[in-house]
């Protein structure tokens, strides 16, 4: 018991349980007024009835966790994944543009970082802009990219992937530049004594040394790519994707639908970051890092 | 003997200096001439853009090869090069858009954006007040404050710390902007719902960073405080909070951008008829791209200025930190 308390499992589970309890209590509080109103109109009611009603309202202000789970189950397991009523369908739409954008963004980020490493001009002229662009709310540009590309006939996956690319390449570039410069003077001098060419130094020294930085950047990048894909789905008017589910839910007051889309997006973000973490562990293990 | 290095330095210095000077003059004159006298549209403008680009690029390369001796000159150069690069980009954008006759719906030239900006400062100011001064500032202050206070509370209990930190780290990676429709439903269309989104977005980065920062002081330093018989509060204010400052400022900087994004995206889900996010989505609906770009310029300015302000305060507050002391 004592050993487990020193670990992380028990504290995390406790905090999760506390959040659940608070959530149920909050659901009672926030749904109380509307639900008791209905019960009063229907006749007399007891407190237990009212509490049960707040946890099973059709359009609650705050849905109880089990309602969200039930909605998730209903829209993922009971419906065919190809139907537009299935949450898996929408999740896939978002996931595909997230992944496409993330892959493009990572490649672009790595290329720019290598360019910055080799060219003094790029380092002095471009790097400050990469840093400044981190401080700009780039997401504001998303609706315009979607609508403008739509007006010249580009629609569907690509515009969203474009936004995801845009959002995910900054963290990768910044991390990668830091990583490529991580090897100290001694190591670069050693490569020099081997009379290694710049390309060889890059491939055999700088690139392996930059991996931890690259993966840290990619973890931030993949989360940013998902946010970009979701926001990119807003302006096209709720066609498909998790962002569209959020928007449609907010139009029609379907709170349970909003929450289930939100939970799905969160699950996806957690899994994506976890997958990048797995790749990181595998790559660093091959380099001989000890856990 | 003593003259030789001086003459060398002079020769080494003056030759690229004059070259840069004349090239800069030529480039500027050429840009002005092309801007004023070339006809609207057509390949001539694109060719001019290419010529301008090559000379500006050459200028950038020459400038970046310089290694001035004095600190002030080096600092000036480190600002001048990116500014030059940005200006080149703007000019190139202007020439290409006008030369190729790109419809202004697709991409307006910078001059049109500047004109729209100047013509609608009143509207832009109203949007700025609604989104930044009301929603972002309120949400940022409450979110960061709550994150900080929660971190101080959590810090007293190692059990809570171990439980909350992994969850806080996880939540920091989630697409929290998605709570925007829920907040709009709960708090209405006006700015409080946007402030609520900002609070949720800024809370977790602050919590995680402050908790990490409070652990940043070493065991030796904490032992020293114990030998002074310092109370918990004294250790906190005299040792651990100062040591946590770099982490706290890091969170403040991350949150500055997040807050602006949160408020703007939340406005996509419903607003009164004012606000930066509202203006962007409304004007894009009317295909008035120049106005959207003007609004994005405001957002970019506000974002980088508030970031810069926090960075400036950080330099003052953490003057002892190695990363700042050195400079």
């Amino acid at each position: 018991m004592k050993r487990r308390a020193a670990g992380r499992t028990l504290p995390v589970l406790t905090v999760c349980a506390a959040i659940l309890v608070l959530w149920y209590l909050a659901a009672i509080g926030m749904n109380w007024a509307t639900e008791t109103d209905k019960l009063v109109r229907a006749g007399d009611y007891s407190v237990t009835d009212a509490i049960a009603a707040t946890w099973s309202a059709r359009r609650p202000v705050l849905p109880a966790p089990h309602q969200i789970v039930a909605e998730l189950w209903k829209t993922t397991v009971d419906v065919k994944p190809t139907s537009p009523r299935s949450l898996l369908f929408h999740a896939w739409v978002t996931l595909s543009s997230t992944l496409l954008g993330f892959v493009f963004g990572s490649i672009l980020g790595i290329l720019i970082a290598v360019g910055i490493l080799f060219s003094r001009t790029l380092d002095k002229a471009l790097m400050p802009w990469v840093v400044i662009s981190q401080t700009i709310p780039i997401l504001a540009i998303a609706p315009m990219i979607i609508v403008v590309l739509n007006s010249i006939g580009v629609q569907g996956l690509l515009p969203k992937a474009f936004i995801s690319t845009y959002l995910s390449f900054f963290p990768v570039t910044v991390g990668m530049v830091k990583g490529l410069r991580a090897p100290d003077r001694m190591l670069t001098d050693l490569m020099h004594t081997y009379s290694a060419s710049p390309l060889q130094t890059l491939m055999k020294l700088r690139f392996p040394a930059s991996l931890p930085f690259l993966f840290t950047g990619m973890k931030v990048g993949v989360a940013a790519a998902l946010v970009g894909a979701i926001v990119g789905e807003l302006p096209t008017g709720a066609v498909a994707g998790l962002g569209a589910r959020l928007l449609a839910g907010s139009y029609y007051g379907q709170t349970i639908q909003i929450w289930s889309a939100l939970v799905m997006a969160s699950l996806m973000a957690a899994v994506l970051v976890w997958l990048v973490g797995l790749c990181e562990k595998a790559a660093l293990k091959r380099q001989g890092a000890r856990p | 003997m003593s003259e030789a290095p001086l003459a060398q330095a002079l020769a080494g210095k003056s030759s690229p200096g004059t070259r840069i000077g004349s090239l800069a003059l030529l480039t500027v004159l050429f840009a002005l001439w092309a801007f004023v006298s070339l006809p609207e549209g057509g390949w001539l403008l694109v060719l001019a853009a290419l010529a301008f680009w090559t000379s500006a690029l050459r200028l950038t390369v020459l400038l970046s090869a310089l290694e001035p001796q004095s600190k002030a000159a080096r600092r000036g150069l480190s600002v001048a090069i990116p500014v030059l690069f940005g200006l080149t980009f703007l000019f190139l954008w202007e020439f290409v858009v006008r030369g190729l006759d790109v419809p202004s719906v697709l991409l307006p030239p910078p001059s049109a954006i500047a004109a729209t900006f100047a013509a609608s400062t009143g509207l832009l100011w109203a949007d700025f007040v609604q989104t930044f001064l009301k929603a972002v500032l309120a949400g940022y202050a409450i979110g960061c404050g709550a994150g900080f206070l929660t971190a101080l509370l959590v810090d007293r209990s190692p059990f809570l710390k171990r439980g909350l930190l992994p969850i806080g780290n996880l939540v920091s990676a989630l697409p929290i902007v998605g709570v925007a429709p829920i907040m709009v439903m709960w708090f209405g269309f006006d700015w409080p719902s946007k402030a609520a989104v900002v609070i949720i977005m800024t809370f977790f980065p602050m919590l995680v960073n402050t908790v990490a920062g409070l652990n940043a002081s070493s065991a030796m330093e904490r032992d020293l405080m114990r030998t002074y018989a310092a109370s918990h509060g004294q250790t906190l204010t005299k040792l651990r909070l100062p040591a946590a400052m770099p982490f706290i400022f890091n969170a403040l900087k991350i949150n500055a951008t997040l807050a602006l994004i949160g408020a703007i995206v939340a406005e996509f889900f419903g607003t009164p008829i004012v606000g930066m996010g509202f203006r962007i989505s409304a004007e894009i609906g009317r295909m008035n791209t120049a106005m959207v770009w003007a609004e994005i310029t405001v957002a970019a300015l506000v974002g980088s200025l508030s970031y810069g302000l926090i960075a400036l305060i950080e330099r003052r507050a953490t003057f002892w930190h190695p990363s700042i002391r050195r400079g």
Side-chain angles (χ1 to χ4, degrees):
Chain A
M1 191 64 206
K2 207 173 176 186
R3 228 191 53 202
R4 225 188 298 164
R8 293 204 313 200
T9 327
L10 191 65
V12 170
L13 285 180
T14 314
V15 171
C16 286
I19 291 175
L20 268 186
V21 170
L22 281 179
W23 193 326
Y24 272 108
L25 290 179
I28 297 180
M30 297 189 70
N31 300 332
W32 186 264
T34 48
E35 292 310 311
T36 48
D37 255 17
K38 278 186 212 157
L39 285 175
V40 163
R41 260 177 272 143
D44 205 15
Y45 68 92
S46 68
V47 176
T48 41
D49 282 345
I51 290 177
T54 56
W55 286 346
S56 58
R58 222 166 59 76
R59 284 187 184 185
V61 179
L62 175 67
H66 70 261
Q67 286 180 290
I68 300 170
V69 173
E71 167 84 5
L72 277 173
W73 182 266
K74 202 178 79 190
T75 49
T76 51
V77 181
D78 291 349
V79 190
K80 260 196 303 185
T82 49
S83 136
R85 291 182 51 193
S86 160
L87 200 58
L88 284 180
F89 168 79
H90 293 285
W92 169 247
V93 169
T94 304
L95 183 67
S96 54
S97 60
T98 303
L99 287 181
L100 193 66
F102 172 61
V103 169
F104 278 153
S106 301
I107 294 172
L108 189 68
I110 292 171
L111 287 182
I112 290 182
V114 171
I116 285 176
L117 180 76
F118 276 116
S119 155
R120 201 183 150 83
T121 312
L122 274 187
D123 177 31
K124 295 231 163 169
L126 191 62
M127 196 56 191
W129 286 108
V130 172
V131 173
I132 290 172
S133 64
Q134 297 258 37
T135 69
I136 294 172
I138 307 165
L139 221 51
I141 221 171
M144 188 171 58
I145 292 175
I146 298 285
V147 173
V148 163
L149 286 182
N150 194 32
S151 74
I152 57 170
V154 184
Q155 43 189 325
L157 194 64
L158 274 181
K160 281 188 287 170
F162 186 74
I163 294 169
S164 298
T165 306
Y166 200 50
L167 284 176
S168 59
F169 99 85
F170 293 121
V172 174
T173 306
V174 171
M176 192 73 186
V177 168
K178 215 187 263 171
L180 288 173
R181 293 203 173 131
D184 58 9
R185 195 56 193 265
M186 191 114 79
L187 293 172
T188 51
D189 277 353
L190 180 66
M191 292 307 277
H192 200 69
T193 60
Y194 290 160
S195 97
S197 69
L199 189 68
Q200 282 170 325
T201 313
L202 178 71
M203 294 313 291
K204 296 198 192 295
L205 170 65
R206 293 191 186 275
F207 198 70
S210 74
L211 278 186
F213 296 86
L214 172 66
F215 279 112
T216 310
M218 274 165 69
K219 276 185 202 165
V220 180
V222 79
L226 180 63
V227 173
I230 290 176
V231 173
E233 281 156 1
L234 296 180
T236 44
V239 185
L242 291 176
R245 289 286 276 198
L246 288 177
L247 198 62
S250 87
Y251 279 164
Y252 302 114
Q254 297 285 357
T255 33
I256 302 182
Q257 181 188 325
I258 299 180
W259 279 96
S260 64
L262 201 56
V263 169
M264 195 60 163
S266 306
L267 277 179
M268 235 155 77
V271 169
L272 285 174
V273 172
W274 176 70
L275 280 179
V276 175
L278 270 192
C279 294
E280 177 180 20
K281 266 197 196 124
L284 294 188
K285 207 171 174 188
R286 277 199 55 186
Q287 287 191 342
R290 279 182 217 104
Chain B
M1 190 71 186
S2 64
E3 270 173 2
L6 186 72
Q8 239 174 6
L10 265 179
K13 236 186 196 169
S14 70
S15 150
T18 41
R19 251 163 60 204
I20 288 173
S22 48
L23 190 59
L25 197 66
L26 262 177
T27 314
V28 169
L29 283 180
F30 177 73
L32 281 179
W33 170 77
F35 197 79
V36 174
S37 60
L38 279 187
E40 200 63 26
W43 283 99
L44 221 52
L45 218 50
V46 179
L47 276 181
L50 274 179
F52 168 73
W53 189 44
T54 30
S55 70
L57 202 64
R58 183 85 201 111
L59 194 61
T60 319
V61 170
L62 276 178
L63 273 180
S64 358
L66 283 185
E67 289 208 38
Q69 295 295 316
S70 80
K71 212 181 212 170
R74 210 173 303 164
R75 282 195 66 166
L77 205 60
S78 74
V79 175
I81 295 171
V83 166
L84 178 70
F85 188 78
L87 284 180
T88 315
F89 180 74
L90 277 185
F91 265 97
L92 205 61
W93 174 356
E94 176 88 29
F95 280 136
V96 169
V97 166
R98 278 172 41 186
L100 295 182
D101 270 331
V102 179
S104 88
V105 173
L106 233 57
L107 188 66
S111 57
I113 297 170
T116 315
F117 191 101
S120 44
T121 40
L123 209 58
L124 292 173
W125 173 252
D127 292 342
F128 170 75
V129 169
Q130 169 77 14
T131 303
F132 189 76
L133 294 187
K134 288 181 183 165
V136 170
L137 281 190
Y140 184 77
I142 300 175
C144 290
F148 181 72
L149 291 180
T150 314
L152 287 189
L153 285 181
V154 165
D155 183 62
R156 313 271 333 221
S157 147
F159 183 82
L160 259 185
K161 204 159 41 176
R162 274 199 306 275
L164 262 181
L165 259 197
I167 294 179
N169 273 322
L170 176 74
V171 174
S172 298
L174 300 185
I176 307 182
V177 213
V179 298
I182 297 161
M183 293 302 136
V184 171
M185 228 173 253
W186 286 359
F187 298 106
F189 276 175
D190 211 353
W191 64 269
S193 62
K194 282 78 201 172
V197 176
V198 175
I199 290 173
I200 299 176
M201 283 184 82
T202 51
F203 177 81
F204 288 99
M206 194 62 181
L207 173 68
V208 172
N209 272 292
T210 309
V211 169
L214 287 175
N215 289 332
S217 54
S218 70
M220 189 112 79
E221 291 160 336
R222 263 175 272 175
D223 280 352
L224 180 67
M225 291 310 275
R226 268 180 69 92
T227 60
Y228 291 160
S231 67
H232 179 85
Q234 280 170 327
T235 316
L236 200 64
T237 50
K238 302 232 186 284
L239 168 66
R240 298 178 63 211
L241 273 182
M245 274 304 155
F247 291 82
I248 294 172
F249 273 105
N250 187 29
L252 284 176
K253 286 197 269 188
I254 298 172
N255 281 344
T257 321
L258 278 182
L260 212 50
I261 288 178
I264 290 178
V265 172
E267 287 182 358
F268 294 159
F269 285 97
T271 42
I273 51 162
V274 64
M276 289 156 83
F278 163 78
R279 193 73 55 207
I280 287 174
S281 56
E283 295 295 334
I284 198 64
R286 293 165 47 194
M287 285 303 202
N288 187 1
T289 2
M291 186 65 194
V292 178
W293 277 103
E295 199 71 60
I296 287 170
T297 313
V298 174
L301 279 178
V302 171
S304 41
L305 282 183
S306 41
Y307 189 95
L309 185 69
I310 296 168
L312 210 66
I313 300 173
E314 180 182 19
R315 289 182 81 88
R316 286 284 152 79
T318 60
F319 56 89
W320 47 268
H321 196 261
S323 70
I324 287 160
R325 206 171 48 199
R326 195 181 33 162

